[in-house]
């Protein structure tokens, strides 16, 4: 019985997520070859079949030499029972449709050299009984080259589902990245402490290992203020700064990918295979890894605007960037975590929800910077859709988001690739807290990694809540609005229940000197065993 109820609930949710959109698919065949093209229609008065099998097939008559504003010079025998394609212009869409309908046509396609827009209704549309849709004129020319004159067409519009597999992929990417970054940070801390203990206090400190510590509340406030300033500068000087950010990302992501791959190969026990030239020693492994990482970054940089496949490289480089950031930047105690995450929560909410009231186009600064001023080939407003008819110059986008294409948006992807996105900050910011929890587990010698696992689970629940609210509201959400409370509250509750809030809040028991920190508890020690002893 419970299974039946669950299936019914899931079916209702899935059905409610199905949306009739204005984009559709034009299927053209000659019996041997098939092609599909983007079309735009108005579902409210010319509904199309939802599947290809249910759609009726008609021969296509090429009448692009006329605008079809009247029936003069056109024989009904030529078009009766067939689909027509005519050029856009001279009269409105409804007049063309009524003329085609009077001639006995079954479907009207309007080829356009301008942007494809959803046909808006007027008094004449009540008389239109045949499907009407707009298509790109360049698509029709391409179809002519492929099929010649013997084209058979079907028009259909698959319903658009808000629930898409891309959400699950994005959830997997974010959770795995946060968990790996936290685990890596804890492993580095354990290695440092083991080296420190075995070396009699001569182990390398944080500064020597290249890691950076955020330990001052003032520095955290300055850091967030700089982020705000940078975001505003990007909003006003986007077309200049975007290339600087792209260059920095290529360099930083290649370095991060090298660091990640080198750590993996080190863990696998792969040899370095060094050689010497003029008293300089080189590692074969490092050279090969550097060449691979630089090549990947260069390929991304060259083909960064190729939406069909470049998102794979961007996500790979983004994951490496996030992992290396969480391993390199360390928060010294829970107090710093609370200050940083709280300030960034306010920052995220302000630039997503508040700034639309101040911008000219009503779009938030965060969204416009993340997606770019000319972000999409497809623009939507309410139920209206606008699709570019001609190829546009690629619009540069900041490499600051994970991108996964919406796999079920077939019609929309024909008109312009649709992506689910998640900002790097929604991974890095909570990831810094997860990394702190992982290091704290090392300091207290927690074999069950209770803080690390609890924070990872809280992050997972926060991401699920983010996507659930996004699906219910149909609006993008500032993920930190949910991730910060979930992770901070969970970590605090675990520390309080274990009676370790004082240590968890203060972090290490030593004062910070020159940005290096000493461990609260060396591996395998207890509180009493380290009294009066420092590493």
């Amino acid at each position: 019985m419970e299974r039946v109820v669950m299936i019914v609930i899931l079916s209702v949710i899935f059905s409610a997520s199905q949306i009739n959109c204005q984009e559709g698919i034009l299927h053209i065949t000659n019996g041997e070859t098939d092609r599909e093209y983007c079309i735009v229609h108005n579902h409210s008065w010319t509904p199309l079949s939802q599947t290809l099998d249910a759609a009726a097939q008609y021969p296509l008559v090429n009448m692009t030499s006329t605008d079809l504003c009247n029936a003069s010079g056109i024989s009904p025998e030529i078009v009766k029972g067939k689909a027509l394609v005519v050029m856009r212009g001279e009269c409105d869409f409804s007049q063309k449709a009524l003329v085609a309908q009077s001639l006995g046509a079954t479907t009207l396609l309007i080829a356009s050299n301008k942007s494809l827009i959803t046909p808006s209704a007027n008094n004449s549309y009540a008389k239109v009984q045949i499907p009407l849709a707009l298509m790109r004129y360049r698509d029709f020319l391409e179809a002519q080259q492929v099929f010649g004159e013997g084209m058979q067409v079907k028009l259909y519009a698959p319903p658009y589902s808000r629930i898409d597999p891309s959400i699950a992929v994005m959830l997997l990417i974010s959770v795995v990245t946060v968990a790996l970054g936290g685990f890596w940070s804890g492993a580095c801390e354990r290695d440092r402490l083991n080296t420190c203990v075995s070396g009699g206090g001569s182990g390398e400190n944080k500064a020597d290992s290249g890691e950076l510590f955020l330990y001052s509340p003032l520095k955290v406030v300055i850091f967030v203020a700089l982020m705000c300033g940078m975001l505003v500068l990007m909003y006003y000087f986007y077309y200049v700064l975007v290339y600087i950010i792209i260059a920095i990302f290529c360099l930083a992501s290649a370095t991060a990918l090298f660091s990640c791959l080198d750590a993996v190969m080190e863990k696998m026990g792969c040899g370095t295979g060094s050689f010497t030239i003029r008293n300089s020693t080189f590692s074969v492994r490092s050279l090969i890894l550097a060449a691979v990482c630089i090549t990947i970054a260069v390929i991304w940089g060259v083909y960064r605007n190729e939406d069909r496949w470049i998102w794979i490289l961007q996500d790979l480089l983004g994951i490496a960037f996030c992992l290396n950031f969480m391993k390199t930047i360390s928060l010294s105690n829970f107090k710093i975590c609370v200050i940083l995450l709280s300030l960034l929560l306010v920052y995220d909410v302000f630039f997503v929800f508040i700034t639309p009231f101040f911008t000219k186009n009503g779009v938030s600064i965060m969204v416009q910077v993340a997606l770019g001023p000319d972000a999409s080939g497809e623009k939507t407003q309410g139920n209206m859709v606008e699709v570019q008819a001609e190829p546009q110059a690629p619009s540069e986008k900041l490499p600051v988001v994970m991108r996964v294409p919406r796999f079920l948006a077939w019609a929309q992807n024909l008109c312009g690739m649709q992506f689910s996105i998640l900002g790097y900050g929604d991974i890095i910011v909570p990831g810094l807290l997860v990394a702190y929890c992982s290091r704290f587990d090392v300091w207290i010698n927690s074999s069950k990694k209770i803080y690390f696992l609890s924070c990872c689970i809280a992050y997972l629940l926060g991401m699920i809540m983010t996507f659930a609210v996004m699906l219910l509201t149909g609006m993008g959400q500032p993920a930190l609005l949910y991730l910060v409370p979930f992770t901070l509250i969970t970590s605090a509750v675990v520390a309080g229940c274990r009676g370790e809030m004082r240590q968890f809040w203060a972090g290490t028991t030593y004062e910070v000197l020159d940005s290096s920190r000493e461990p609260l508890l060396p591996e395998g020690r207890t509180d009493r065993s380290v009294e009066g002893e420092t590493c």
Side-chain angles (χ1 to χ4, degrees), residues 455-527:
C455 203
C456 285
I457 294 173
Y459 180 82
L460 171 62
L461 295 177
M463 285 300 301
I464 292 174
M465 177 65 73
T466 302
F467 286 125
V469 175
M470 180 190 70
L471 292 174
L472 290 173
T473 61
M475 297 173 55
Q477 299 293 311
L480 293 184
L481 179 62
Y482 310 97
L483 296 175
V484 169
F486 266 86
T487 52
L488 283 180
I489 293 174
T490 299
S491 302
V493 169
V494 171
C497 292
R498 290 171 59 89
E500 296 167 340
M501 177 54 80
R502 184 175 179 183
Q503 296 108 309
F504 191 63
W505 178 262
T508 64
T509 58
Y510 302 93
E511 294 294 330
V512 178
L513 295 174
D514 296 330
S515 77
S516 63
R517 299 285 296 198
E518 297 296 340
L520 177 64
L521 294 175
E523 180 80 9
R525 305 297 184 89
T526 63
D527 287 326

Side-chain angles (χ1 to χ4, degrees), residues 137-271:
Y137 182 55
R138 62 183 173 91
D139 287 344
F140 176 71
L141 295 178
E142 177 188 314
Q144 272 193 312
Q145 292 179 350
V146 174
F147 300 101
E149 296 298 326
M151 290 185 275
Q152 300 283 328
V153 299
K154 288 184 177 182
L155 277 65
Y156 68 106
Y160 177 81
S161 176
R162 289 177 180 170
I163 302 177
D164 191 89
S166 61
I167 295 178
V169 175
M170 192 67 72
L171 181 65
L172 180 65
I173 289 175
S174 59
V175 173
V176 170
T177 303
V178 165
L180 284 178
F183 179 83
W184 193 10
S185 180
C188 290
E189 184 69 11
R190 183 181 297 106
D191 292 342
R192 191 181 72 88
L193 294 184
N194 289 339
T195 302
C196 185
V197 172
S198 62
S202 60
E204 65 174 4
N205 59 26
K206 295 282 185 182
D208 296 333
S209 63
E211 296 186 39
L212 301 176
F213 238 106
L214 282 179
Y215 58 85
S216 166
L218 178 60
K219 288 188 176 181
V220 171
V221 173
I222 294 174
F223 172 72
V224 176
L226 290 175
M227 288 184 61
C228 296
M230 187 62 189
L231 188 64
V232 173
L233 286 175
M234 285 299 307
Y235 179 75
Y236 287 106
F237 304 101
Y238 185 91
Y239 294 106
V240 176
L241 296 178
V242 64
Y243 295 103
I244 298 176
I245 300 299
I246 288 173
I248 293 174
F249 176 77
C250 287
L251 179 62
S253 61
T255 304
L257 186 60
F258 174 87
S259 179
C260 294
L261 295 179
D262 189 59
V264 171
M265 298 191 74
E266 185 72 26
K267 191 69 175 178
M268 294 171 60
C270 297

Side-chain angles (χ1 to χ4, degrees), residues 389-436:
E390 296 297 331
Q392 303 293 308
S395 58
E396 297 292 352
K397 303 178 184 66
L398 287 177
V400 294
V401 294
M402 300 290 183
R403 305 168 68 208
V404 178
R406 298 188 63 86
F407 301 111
L408 298 183
W410 298 305
Q412 289 74 25
N413 286 336
L414 279 176
C415 299
M417 286 292 290
Q418 304 294 301
F419 289 91
S420 295
I421 64 171
L422 182 70
Y424 293 165
D426 299 327
I427 296 175
I428 291 174
V429 174
L432 293 175
L433 174 58
V434 173
Y436 172 72

Side-chain angles (χ1 to χ4, degrees), residues 24-86:
I25 298 175
L26 172 65
H27 180 88
I28 303 180
T29 182
N30 61 0
E32 298 178 356
T33 307
D34 300 292
R35 291 287 178 89
E36 291 188 331
Y37 300 97
C38 165
I39 57 174
V40 173
H41 72 298
N42 191 323
H43 179 81
S44 61
W45 54 272
T46 55
L48 302 178
S49 300
Q50 294 187 350
T51 63
L52 176 62
D53 293 337
Q57 181 169 293
Y58 303 104
L60 182 67
V61 178
N62 178 11
M63 299 190 67
T64 52
S65 58
T66 177
D67 296 317
L68 201 66
C69 292
N70 57 68
S72 61
I74 301 175
S75 173
E77 286 76 15
I78 299 177
V79 300
K80 187 174 182 181
K82 299 178 182 179
L84 302 185
V85 56
V86 301

